[in-house]
Amino acid sequence: MIFFKLMLLGSLAGAVSSRDPRSVCLKSDTSQTHTACSALLHAFPRQVFFPGTENYTVESTAFWDQAAWLQPGCIFQPFTAHNLAQGVSELVKRNVTFTARSGGHMPVTGHASLDNGVMVATTHLNEKTLVRTPNPYGADYLRAGPAFRWEEVYSFLEQYGFTTAGGRVSSVGSSLLLGGGLSYFSSVHGWAANNVVNYEVALANGSLINVNAKSAPDLFWALKGGSSNFGIITRYDLRAIPLGKVFGGTVTWASNDTQRYLDAQTAFILPGGGAEDDRAAIMPNFGYSPLTGQNNSGTVFVFNGSDPNPEALRNLTSIPITSGSFSVQNFSSVVATTSGYAARDRRWSFYVTAVKSAPPTMNMLYHHMRMQADIILSGVNATVGAAVQPITVNHLKAAQKNGGDAIDLDPAQGPFVIALYYANWYDSTLDPLIKKWELATIAAVEKDAKARGLYYPWKFLNDAGQAQDPIATYGYGKSLPRLRAVSKRYDPKGIFQKNVPGFKLGSELHSGC
Ligand SMILES: Cc1cc2nc3c(=O)[nH]c(=O)nc-3n(C[C@H](O)[C@H](O)[C@H](O)COP(=O)(O)OP(=O)(O)OC[C@H]3O[C@@H](n4cnc5c(N)ncnc54)[C@H](O)[C@@H]3O)c2cc1C
Ligand SMILES: *[C@@H]1O[C@H](CO)[C@@H](O)[C@H](O)[C@H]1NC(C)=O
Ligand SMILES: *[C@@H]1O[C@H](CO)[C@@H](O)[C@H](O)[C@H]1NC(C)=O
Ligand SMILES: *[C@@H]1O[C@H](CO)[C@@H](O)[C@H](O)[C@H]1NC(C)=O
Ligand SMILES: *[C@@H]1O[C@H](CO)[C@@H](O)[C@H](O)[C@H]1NC(C)=O
Ligand SMILES: *[C@@H]1O[C@H](CO)[C@@H](O)[C@H](O)[C@H]1NC(C)=O
Ligand SMILES: *[C@@H]1O[C@H](CO)[C@@H](O)[C@H](O)[C@H]1NC(C)=O
Ligand SMILES: *[C@@H]1O[C@H](CO)[C@@H](O)[C@H](O)[C@H]1NC(C)=O
Ligand SMILES: *[C@@H]1O[C@H](CO)[C@@H](O)[C@H](O)[C@H]1NC(C)=O
Ligand SMILES: *[C@@H]1O[C@H](CO)[C@@H](O)[C@H](O)[C@H]1NC(C)=O
């Protein structure tokens, strides 16, 4: 609740890519959609829902961001992975546009839902089983259907003394893994996706296959960052990691203590700062209300261990708090303090960029957010801000050590921060103005960062906005040709490129609206 309040008074801007991706809603025409929905209904009579029914309404609005609530021609809610795979082959036969929704937290309109076409809701794929060693992956792991929210995973694993590297906010869903995934434990375990030991995937040809380092190393690599470009995931097998108590909590700080916070985070990300302690993680945020002129900032803390006052976090924990608390407790209890993010009462937007960790970084990121908000959004009933997320050298090393991924960043070029600029508002007529602010802020930050030699040329897909092209930045450009080759092999007709919206393997193929 507290953190939600904090984000409400913050906001977000956007990174503009050099190319201009397609900005259209991918949709089929009504008769094509009708034909496909009829075929699905015939094959799966109790798993297809049309407008006007309760299941349709629940599923079509199961999105965090109201701007993502669209009107699919019908919604397919498969009972099993096999049903889902067979359903995909029906959709492919009819050449209809379709997309999948799991946790519904991606705030990009037209990615996890669509107008006309078919939305596949993974709701019933909700298995959770702990599989002990010995097993083929040589590690205890969790078999989990894609319907999960991270809070459920953490509570489930905690009973056995485990956790996994996953999302930091309770209500976010499994597709976090498809964009890599930033976890509170990333400095030790890399991206969340580096801890997937196997994926079960429904391919465009209707086959259901297991994808792991032995069975399909190329696709296994591609799925770690490659988003919705290869198939629909019907199960994730996630390495279980031991965890006891943690120090943590969620707090907010006073408007006039914002500079103290910016200074404390600056020290945290610089050499010798707290980020170098692999046990420590923060999910900080500075927000601003162009209506009231007030700042609102705060953070979530997580420190692995029972130290009640970790040195690594002390510069931040010593700032007087205006709400929230921290203590030594269960990890799931800390994550529960982020539950306000489940609210679905407004429009949201994310845009992202990245900047090297350096003395001017934090002040620069605040300055441009504030300046563009005062110019473009003065007096507007919206909240804007940025979540500035530290990425450590050890995180990038752990990603490589745990098998690598399509994101493929070089530890020698770290540390840096992901700057996630966000906005939230109510009135849809403000959409163009908000987008203007997002693009202007990202452009100003990137120009300034480049001038100072601090620009980091990569965009985090999980935090990217509709006009951005995150996959083109993977491996500093080297991953894209390899990802296209994997796509040709497992989806020779390019169904997941042409018929499924999202961040695609080429900006000309992106869609969103
Ligand atoms: C409040 C909040 C907090 C966040 N915190 C974090 C964080 O701590 N770390 C982090 O890394 N990211 C974070 N994110 C970003 C988040 O990881 C992404 O938005 C992610 O896509 C959400 O997954 P989802 O399942 O909830 O999304 P959805 O909206 O359901 O799906 C996102 C994308 O994946 C596709 N998709 C959905 N299900 C499947 C499937 N089964 N198979 C194939 N494709 C599928 C969709 O079509 C869409 O393109 C956060 C986002 C929000 C809004
Ligand atoms: C949704 O559909 C399922 C399966 O047909 C049914 O059991 C359930 O009652 C429906 N839920 C709602 C809210 O209509
Ligand atoms: C599939 O539909 C697209 C438009 O949505 C069209 O361009 C394409 O030619 C169609 N393909 C086939 C094989 O019918
Ligand atoms: C913390 O987790 C342990 C292990 O699952 C459990 O026994 C205990 O009840 C939890 N404590 C709280 C306060 O939830
Ligand atoms: C937490 O720390 C303990 C002790 O160092 C370690 O064994 C465990 O793997 C860590 N857990 C995570 C999730 O990193
Ligand atoms: C911040 O404002 C409060 C009153 O709202 C005041 O008590 C405090 O001294 C101020 N702090 C700073 C650093 O100016
Ligand atoms: C908001 O924070 C900025 C940066 O530290 C500071 O200059 C400004 O005075 C703060 N505004 C208010 C109203 O506290
Ligand atoms: C705390 O801040 C001081 C002063 O800026 C800095 O020297 C120190 O490295 C910081 N400590 C940590 C653990 O970040
Ligand atoms: C901003 O909009 C919200 C939602 O419509 C409304 O509740 C709130 O009162 C508005 N604030 C102002 C200051 O107008
Ligand atoms: C679908 O493609 C996969 C991967 O290329 C292949 O293993 C499988 O046999 C194909 N299935 C069908 C039914 O052609």
PDB file of all heavy atoms in Angstrom, residues 263-264 267-268 271-274 311-313 315, ligand 8:
ATOM      1  N   ASP A 263      21.417  11.596  -2.596  1.00  0.00           N
ATOM      2  CA  ASP A 263      22.830  11.481  -2.184  1.00  0.00           C
ATOM      3  C   ASP A 263      23.126  10.086  -1.640  1.00  0.00           C
ATOM      4  O   ASP A 263      24.180   9.508  -1.912  1.00  0.00           O
ATOM      5  CB  ASP A 263      23.162  12.545  -1.134  1.00  0.00           C
ATOM      6  CG  ASP A 263      23.115  13.965  -1.716  1.00  0.00           C
ATOM      7  OD1 ASP A 263      23.131  14.105  -2.955  1.00  0.00           O
ATOM      8  OD2 ASP A 263      23.046  14.927  -0.921  1.00  0.00           O
ATOM      9  N   ALA A 264      22.189   9.543  -0.858  1.00  0.00           N
ATOM     10  CA  ALA A 264      22.415   8.209  -0.272  1.00  0.00           C
ATOM     11  C   ALA A 264      22.448   7.148  -1.368  1.00  0.00           C
ATOM     12  O   ALA A 264      23.271   6.234  -1.343  1.00  0.00           O
ATOM     13  CB  ALA A 264      21.327   7.890   0.751  1.00  0.00           C
ATOM     14  N   ALA A 267      25.796   7.332  -3.215  1.00  0.00           N
ATOM     15  CA  ALA A 267      26.859   6.611  -2.486  1.00  0.00           C
ATOM     16  C   ALA A 267      26.670   5.101  -2.614  1.00  0.00           C
ATOM     17  O   ALA A 267      27.643   4.351  -2.766  1.00  0.00           O
ATOM     18  CB  ALA A 267      26.855   7.021  -1.015  1.00  0.00           C
ATOM     19  N   PHE A 268      25.418   4.648  -2.603  1.00  0.00           N
ATOM     20  CA  PHE A 268      25.119   3.209  -2.684  1.00  0.00           C
ATOM     21  C   PHE A 268      25.640   2.591  -3.976  1.00  0.00           C
ATOM     22  O   PHE A 268      26.159   1.475  -3.984  1.00  0.00           O
ATOM     23  CB  PHE A 268      23.597   3.009  -2.572  1.00  0.00           C
ATOM     24  CG  PHE A 268      23.140   1.585  -2.515  1.00  0.00           C
ATOM     25  CD1 PHE A 268      23.172   0.870  -1.322  1.00  0.00           C
ATOM     26  CD2 PHE A 268      22.649   0.943  -3.649  1.00  0.00           C
ATOM     27  CE1 PHE A 268      22.739  -0.453  -1.261  1.00  0.00           C
ATOM     28  CE2 PHE A 268      22.216  -0.375  -3.599  1.00  0.00           C
ATOM     29  CZ  PHE A 268      22.256  -1.078  -2.407  1.00  0.00           C
ATOM     30  N   PRO A 271      31.654   2.985  -6.331  1.00  0.00           N
ATOM     31  CA  PRO A 271      32.612   2.018  -5.796  1.00  0.00           C
ATOM     32  C   PRO A 271      32.709   2.126  -4.276  1.00  0.00           C
ATOM     33  O   PRO A 271      32.757   3.232  -3.735  1.00  0.00           O
ATOM     34  CB  PRO A 271      33.926   2.413  -6.471  1.00  0.00           C
ATOM     35  CG  PRO A 271      33.511   3.080  -7.751  1.00  0.00           C
ATOM     36  CD  PRO A 271      32.215   3.773  -7.440  1.00  0.00           C
ATOM     37  N   GLY A 272      32.681   0.991  -3.594  1.00  0.00           N
ATOM     38  CA  GLY A 272      32.726   0.977  -2.136  1.00  0.00           C
ATOM     39  C   GLY A 272      31.359   1.146  -1.492  1.00  0.00           C
ATOM     40  O   GLY A 272      31.222   1.034  -0.272  1.00  0.00           O
ATOM     41  N   GLY A 273      30.326   1.401  -2.292  1.00  0.00           N
ATOM     42  CA  GLY A 273      28.979   1.609  -1.760  1.00  0.00           C
ATOM     43  C   GLY A 273      28.255   0.303  -1.481  1.00  0.00           C
ATOM     44  O   GLY A 273      28.736  -0.794  -1.810  1.00  0.00           O
ATOM     45  N   GLY A 274      27.077   0.436  -0.866  1.00  0.00           N
ATOM     46  CA  GLY A 274      26.321  -0.724  -0.393  1.00  0.00           C
ATOM     47  C   GLY A 274      25.943  -1.731  -1.465  1.00  0.00           C
ATOM     48  O   GLY A 274      25.769  -2.922  -1.177  1.00  0.00           O
ATOM     49  N   GLU A 311      25.022  -2.612   7.387  1.00  0.00           N
ATOM     50  CA  GLU A 311      25.895  -1.499   7.004  1.00  0.00           C
ATOM     51  C   GLU A 311      25.635  -1.055   5.549  1.00  0.00           C
ATOM     52  O   GLU A 311      25.606   0.131   5.238  1.00  0.00           O
ATOM     53  CB  GLU A 311      27.354  -1.955   7.202  1.00  0.00           C
ATOM     54  CG  GLU A 311      28.433  -1.138   6.505  1.00  0.00           C
ATOM     55  CD  GLU A 311      28.607   0.257   7.094  1.00  0.00           C
ATOM     56  OE1 GLU A 311      28.206   0.458   8.257  1.00  0.00           O
ATOM     57  OE2 GLU A 311      29.139   1.134   6.382  1.00  0.00           O
ATOM     58  N   ALA A 312      25.411  -2.025   4.677  1.00  0.00           N
ATOM     59  CA  ALA A 312      25.250  -1.713   3.249  1.00  0.00           C
ATOM     60  C   ALA A 312      24.076  -0.767   2.988  1.00  0.00           C
ATOM     61  O   ALA A 312      24.069  -0.029   2.010  1.00  0.00           O
ATOM     62  CB  ALA A 312      25.044  -3.004   2.456  1.00  0.00           C
ATOM     63  N   LEU A 313      23.087  -0.795   3.862  1.00  0.00           N
ATOM     64  CA  LEU A 313      21.869  -0.006   3.638  1.00  0.00           C
ATOM     65  C   LEU A 313      21.786   1.214   4.539  1.00  0.00           C
ATOM     66  O   LEU A 313      20.834   1.994   4.465  1.00  0.00           O
ATOM     67  CB  LEU A 313      20.633  -0.896   3.871  1.00  0.00           C
ATOM     68  CG  LEU A 313      20.510  -2.104   2.949  1.00  0.00           C
ATOM     69  CD1 LEU A 313      19.369  -3.021   3.404  1.00  0.00           C
ATOM     70  CD2 LEU A 313      20.270  -1.663   1.501  1.00  0.00           C
ATOM     71  N   ASN A 315      23.095   4.203   4.977  1.00  0.00           N
ATOM     72  CA  ASN A 315      22.883   5.586   4.505  1.00  0.00           C
ATOM     73  C   ASN A 315      21.409   5.822   4.159  1.00  0.00           C
ATOM     74  O   ASN A 315      20.907   6.937   4.289  1.00  0.00           O
ATOM     75  CB  ASN A 315      23.727   5.874   3.256  1.00  0.00           C
ATOM     76  CG  ASN A 315      25.209   6.037   3.573  1.00  0.00           C
ATOM     77  OD1 ASN A 315      25.575   6.454   4.672  1.00  0.00           O
ATOM     78  ND2 ASN A 315      26.055   5.701   2.611  1.00  0.00           N
TER      79      ASN A 315
HETATM   80  C1  LIG B   8      27.546   6.030   2.832  1.00  0.00           C
HETATM   81  O1  LIG B   8      27.758   7.369   2.444  1.00  0.00           O
HETATM   82  C2  LIG B   8      29.105   7.798   2.551  1.00  0.00           C
HETATM   83  C3  LIG B   8      29.140   9.280   2.283  1.00  0.00           C
HETATM   84  O2  LIG B   8      28.646   9.570   1.005  1.00  0.00           O
HETATM   85  C4  LIG B   8      29.958   6.992   1.580  1.00  0.00           C
HETATM   86  O3  LIG B   8      31.295   7.356   1.667  1.00  0.00           O
HETATM   87  C5  LIG B   8      29.803   5.512   1.904  1.00  0.00           C
HETATM   88  O4  LIG B   8      30.471   4.728   0.927  1.00  0.00           O
HETATM   89  C6  LIG B   8      28.336   5.108   1.930  1.00  0.00           C
HETATM   90  N1  LIG B   8      28.239   3.743   2.396  1.00  0.00           N
HETATM   91  C7  LIG B   8      27.581   2.797   1.747  1.00  0.00           C
HETATM   92  C8  LIG B   8      27.630   1.440   2.373  1.00  0.00           C
HETATM   93  O5  LIG B   8      26.946   2.969   0.732  1.00  0.00           O
END
